[in-house]
């Protein structure tokens, strides 16, 4: 017996998933599944804002150019134009949904971030993501065609191989999901599935991303047969708070956009002058993160300083109320002195390969948001282009599914999840140990500055751990921790494979053995 079937299954309740769900629900019944809570993704944590050309002095061409410069030419121009030209409409829709963007009298207030030649970031103070998540959830809750089930960890996509009448057809019919409360595995069937499961930031020891960013969507699509690309392009945000109690609190790039300086903590030297004298603190993230990493390593520092205390205290408190309150709670007054910061993993630029219609390689499977590689970000994402991508591709997926609905057929009878061969494990410590080990060697061997030797070391560790984890996975009842560990390892393997395949330094991939940039930019595409 198969579980209840909806027209469309959406995996993920962040900006990408809910945008797709809302657009689909105008015509179809949609089921949204989320691991943990409905607000557990990166969307709710976004601080800075959303990039859009809204100022008369700015142009689409400027935004396109800034995106391509940040992306070190690896971006697909067609995608960049597609997204940027739709940005103003996306912002209009969010306003209609009630997102209370900051305003300067009648116009939306625009802040500035690294890599942007103009002010073009709309925001809700310094907590834009929470406001967006709330507005999308309110709209989805009010829509009778949308059912949202939190507490469901999807394990694998359902393909023809899972049909009662086995077929080698790569078509996707939904997903198997662990009900985190009952421990049962449910099969959620649908004619179309939209993957919007976020990034893989938790592959790294230090990351600004939430606990659930374990690359589940990328790993599931890969196992089902979809290509992934540019996984070596892992973005490190330059300014994560350095604090022994709070490990992953972001200090938004808008602090630098509104005049913050990066300083050597002992000499007070404004060191960006030594790395990018023209753009200084507003150079693209890869440049700033590498400069901080260099300072930390060269001078044996634990952190550098980010200082905005030269701005009027009221201005700082008004622009950054969330950060101000958080820091005051930790004994740091950013209106009076500097903030200690370090780089940390922040965004997964690579992912499941999609076209402008959000289609993946697999019939029946669309994907949107951070789990994808759409061609927008190239070798380094421009700040605040990510939420934008979620809105544009969430809509694109819905549009394409609705346009081709009649070509999609109902799922066949599917075999239920086989839980008969497995028993309960009393060895949770194995999972914890492996999880920590992956994150540590990824940080040390596959971080901001890479070498072939370190990448090969990481590849060897991954191979050994994969044997252990697959053995474990085959023998014990699935838990969310085990699902995540398996996916984390899969994502790590894809990152390292891609990094070893790229014999140049470009954007976020900086490797000492190949320090120059090739004339022609090529994607790293991995085929399962
Ligand atoms: P997410 O919002 O991460 O949602 C993923 C969803 O998938 C969640 O609902 C999760 O529960 C679900 N999921 C995952 N695995 C499974 C599974 N196995 N089964 C079921 N469900 C699953 N970008 C900007 O443009 N501007 C910003 O200002 C900005 N600030 C940021 C600040 C921080 C601290 C961070 C971490 C990121 C920031 N980003 C920003 C990036 C941006 O927030 C994300 O890229 C974007 O929100 C991703 O949205 P998404 O819908 O793709 O995924
Ligand atoms: C930030 O606020 O610095 C994050 C912006 C982003 O990740 O795009």
């Amino acid at each position: 017996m198969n579980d209840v079937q909806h027209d469309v299954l959406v995996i993920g309740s962040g900006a990408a998933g809910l945008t797709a769900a809302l657009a689909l629900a105008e015509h179809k019944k949609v089921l949204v599944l989320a691991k943990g809570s409905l607000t557990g993704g990166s969307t709710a944590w976004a601080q800075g804002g959303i990039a859009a050309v809204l100022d008369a002095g700015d142009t689409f061409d400027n935004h396109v150019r800034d995106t391509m410069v940040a992306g070190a030419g690896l971006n697909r121009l067609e995608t960049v134009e597609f997204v940027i030209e739709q940005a103003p409409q996306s912002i209009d829709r969010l306003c209609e949904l009630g997102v209370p963007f900051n305003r300067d009298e009648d116009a939306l207030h625009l802040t500035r971030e690294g890599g942007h030649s103009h002010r073009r970031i709309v925001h809700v103070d310094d907590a834009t993501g929470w406001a967006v998540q709330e507005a999308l959830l309110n709209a989805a809750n009010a829509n009778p065609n949308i059912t949202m089930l939190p507490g469901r960890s999807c394990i694998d996509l359902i393909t023809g191989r899972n049909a009662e009448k086995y077929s080698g057809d790569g078509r996707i019919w939904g997903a198997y999901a662990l009900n985190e409360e009952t421990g049962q595995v449910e099969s959620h069937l649908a004619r179309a599935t939209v993957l919007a499961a976020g990034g893989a930031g938790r592959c790294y020891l230090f990351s600004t991303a939430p606990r659930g960013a374990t690359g589940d969507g990328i790993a599931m699509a890969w196992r089902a047969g979809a290509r992934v690309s540019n996984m070596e392009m892992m973005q490190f945000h330059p300014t994560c708070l350095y604090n022994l109690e709070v490990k992953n609190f972001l200090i938004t790039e808008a602090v630098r956009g509104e005049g913050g300086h990066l300083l050597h903590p002992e000499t007070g030297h404004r060191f960006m002058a030594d790395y990018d004298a023209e753009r200084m603190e507003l150079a693209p993230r890869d440049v700033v993160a590498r400069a901080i990493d260099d300072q930390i390593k060269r001078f044996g520092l634990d952190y550098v300083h980010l200082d905005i205390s030269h701005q009027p205290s009221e201005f700082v408190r008004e622009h950054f109320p969330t950060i101000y309150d958080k820091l005051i709670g930790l004994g740091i007054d950013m209106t009076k002195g500097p903030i200690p910061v370090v780089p940390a993993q922040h965004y997964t630029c690579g992912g499941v390969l999609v076209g402008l219609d959000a289609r993946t390689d697999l019939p029946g499977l669309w994907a949107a948001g951070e789990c994808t590689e759409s061609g927008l970000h190239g070798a380094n994402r421009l700040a605040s282009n990510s939420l934008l991508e979620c809105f544009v591709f969430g809509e694109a997926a819905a549009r394409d599914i609705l346009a081709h609905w009649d070509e999609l057929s109902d799922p066949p009878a599917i075999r239920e999840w086989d839980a008969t061969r497995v028993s309960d494990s009393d060895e949770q410590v194995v999972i914890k140990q492996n999880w920590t080990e992956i994150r540590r060697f990824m940080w040390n061997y596959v971080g901001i500055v890479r070498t072939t030797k370190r990448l090969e070391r990481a590849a060897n560790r991954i191979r050994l751990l994969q044997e252990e984890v697959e053995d474990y996975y085959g023998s014990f009842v699935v838990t969310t921790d085990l699902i995540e560990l398996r996916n984390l390892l899969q994502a790590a393997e894809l990152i390292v494979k891609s990094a070893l395949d790229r014999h140049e330094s470009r954007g976020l991939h900086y490797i000492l053995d190949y320090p120059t940039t090739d004339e022609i930019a090529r994607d790293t595409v991995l085929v399962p």
Side-chain angles (χ1 to χ4, degrees):
M1 243 285 279
N2 291 142
D3 292 273
V4 184
Q5 186 184 316
H6 288 73
D7 292 328
V8 184
L9 171 66
V10 175
I11 301 174
S13 58
L18 291 182
T19 301
L22 286 166
L24 285 159
E26 287 175 23
H27 304 277
K28 300 292 166 199
K29 295 259 182 230
V30 184
L31 174 65
V32 178
L33 298 181
K35 186 166 72 170
S37 86
L38 292 170
T39 55
S42 292
T43 297
W45 290 25
Q47 291 187 354
I50 306 161
V53 172
L54 297 171
D55 183 73
D58 196 5
T59 63
F60 287 147
D61 280 351
N62 289 336
H63 192 178
V64 167
R65 194 172 42 250
D66 294 345
T67 302
M68 302 286 290
V69 169
L74 192 65
N75 330 59
R76 289 193 279 288
L77 179 60
E78 191 190 18
T79 312
V80 177
E81 289 174 344
F82 174 74
V83 173
I84 283 168
E85 286 171 16
Q86 291 184 59
Q89 285 135 263
S90 294
I91 302 299
D92 284 348
R93 266 194 298 277
L94 291 169
C95 290
E96 282 162 24
L97 289 178
V99 178
F101 290 118
N102 288 42
R103 289 181 173 270
D104 264 343
E105 295 174 2
D106 281 348
L108 294 177
H109 178 263
L110 302 175
T111 190
R112 193 164 172 194
E113 290 181 342
H116 288 275
S117 56
H118 288 73
R119 286 188 169 264
R120 63 167 77 98
I121 317 294
V122 298
H123 63 107
V124 182
D125 296 332
D126 55 354
T128 309
W130 185 255
V132 166
Q133 180 79 70
E134 204 174 33
L136 291 171
L137 276 176
N138 287 344
N141 267 321
N143 192 314
N145 277 347
I146 298 180
T147 305
M148 292 190 283
L149 294 181
R152 302 300 195 284
S153 290
C154 291
I155 306 170
D156 264 316
L157 296 168
I158 293 174
T159 73
R161 285 175 296 203
N162 306 110
E164 281 191 359
K165 279 194 186 145
Y166 177 93
S167 116
D169 185 358
R171 181 168 286 280
I172 301 300
W173 303 111
Y176 290 116
L178 173 71
N179 180 324
E180 292 164 9
E181 205 179 318
T182 65
Q184 301 298 308
V185 175
E186 304 163 345
S187 356
H188 292 283
L189 303 181
R191 273 202 203 183
T193 301
V194 181
L195 196 57
R202 284 292 168 142
C203 282
Y204 287 86
L205 191 58
F206 303 106
S207 169
T208 62
R211 166 73 173 67
T214 48
D216 297 6
I218 297 167
M220 283 192 283
W222 171 259
R223 284 195 293 269
R227 285 174 303 163
V228 302
S229 88
N230 296 347
M231 285 297 290
E232 72 277 32
M233 299 304 177
M234 268 290 166
Q235 183 170 74
F236 293 79
H237 196 291
T239 58
C240 179
L241 175 69
Y242 174 84
N243 185 275
L244 297 180
E245 277 170 52
V246 179
K247 299 259 187 279
N248 64 347
F249 186 68
L250 180 75
I251 308 295
T252 177
E253 187 140 344
V255 171
R256 279 174 285 132
E258 296 298 342
H261 295 165
L262 285 167
L263 308 174
H264 188 290
E266 286 151 17
T267 63
H269 174 52
R270 199 174 158 198
F271 57 82
M272 278 311 297
D274 308 337
Y275 300 90
D276 194 321
E278 199 182 317
R279 295 175 294 185
M280 298 292 283
E281 284 85 358
L282 291 180
R285 273 182 197 167
D286 57 332
V287 177
V288 182
R290 259 198 308 278
I292 297 177
D293 185 64
D294 186 51
Q295 290 282 307
I296 287 176
K297 289 195 173 126
R298 188 131 48 103
F299 296 103
L301 307 171
D302 287 329
Y303 52 81
V304 297
H305 276 160
L306 173 61
D307 191 8
I308 194 169
S309 62
H310 49 275
Q311 295 281 31
S313 158
E314 207 171 290
F315 170 90
V316 173
R317 284 213 304 270
E318 194 183 86
H319 273 74
F320 308 109
T322 315
I323 295 175
Y324 175 81
D325 286 348
K326 179 82 179 184
L327 295 181
I328 282 290
L330 295 167
I332 302 166
D333 185 343
M334 69 191 284
T335 66
K336 297 207 167 83
I339 309 165
V341 292
V342 285
Q345 189 288 337
H346 181 62
Y347 183 80
T348 311
C349 293
V352 182
L353 202 52
V354 290
L356 293 186
D357 45 16
R359 283 181 185 225
T360 69
D361 289 337
L362 306 175
L365 184 68
W366 285 256
E370 193 170 337
C371 65
T372 67
E373 198 282 292
S374 69
L376 175 64
H377 308 306
N380 176 34
R381 173 176 70 92
L382 181 66
S384 288
N385 265 356
S386 164
L387 285 171
L388 177 58
E389 182 189 38
C390 293
F391 305 129
V392 172
F393 277 89
E395 288 270 346
R399 219 172 21 245
D400 196 58
I401 291 168
L402 294 174
H404 296 276
W405 188 253
D406 293 341
E407 295 157 32
L408 301 167
S409 49
D410 280 332
I414 294 292
R415 280 182 283 120
E416 282 187 58
W417 183 258
D418 179 8
T420 54
R421 287 170 295 123
V422 290
S423 56
D424 278 323
S425 160
D426 55 3
E427 292 278 1
Q428 276 301 314
V429 67
V430 176
I431 294 180
K432 213 169 174 184
Q433 161 68 27
N434 286 343
W435 176 289
T436 312
E437 188 179 343
I438 300 166
R439 297 184 66 208
R440 199 171 283 282
F441 71 66
M442 287 298 286
W443 181 259
N444 288 329
Y445 297 163
V446 198
I448 296 175
V449 177
R450 301 164 178 176
T451 67
T452 304
K453 205 164 164 188
R454 283 189 221 146
L455 291 176
E456 281 168 352
R457 270 200 196 121
N460 287 337
R461 296 298 310 137
I462 289 169
R463 255 192 303 278
L464 290 174
L465 283 174
Q466 268 175 331
E467 277 172 32
E468 197 171 305
V469 169
E470 281 309 316
D471 189 39
Y472 207 83
Y473 180 79
S475 311
F476 296 111
V477 167
V478 283
T479 60
T480 298
D481 284 347
L482 183 52
I483 294 167
E484 290 182 337
L485 174 64
R486 184 175 179 235
N487 291 331
L488 207 62
L489 208 45
Q490 182 62 75
E493 188 197 7
L494 296 171
I495 296 165
V496 173
K497 248 193 191 150
S498 304
L500 280 167
D501 275 4
R502 187 174 288 282
H503 292 175
E504 62 163 347
S505 289
R506 182 184 296 275
L508 297 160
H509 178 67
Y510 187 72
I511 179 159
L512 295 177
D513 310 76
Y514 305 101
T516 56
T517 304
D518 290 349
E519 225 163 87
I520 297 174
R522 289 184 193 84
D523 292 317
T524 311
V525 180
L526 299 179
V527 183

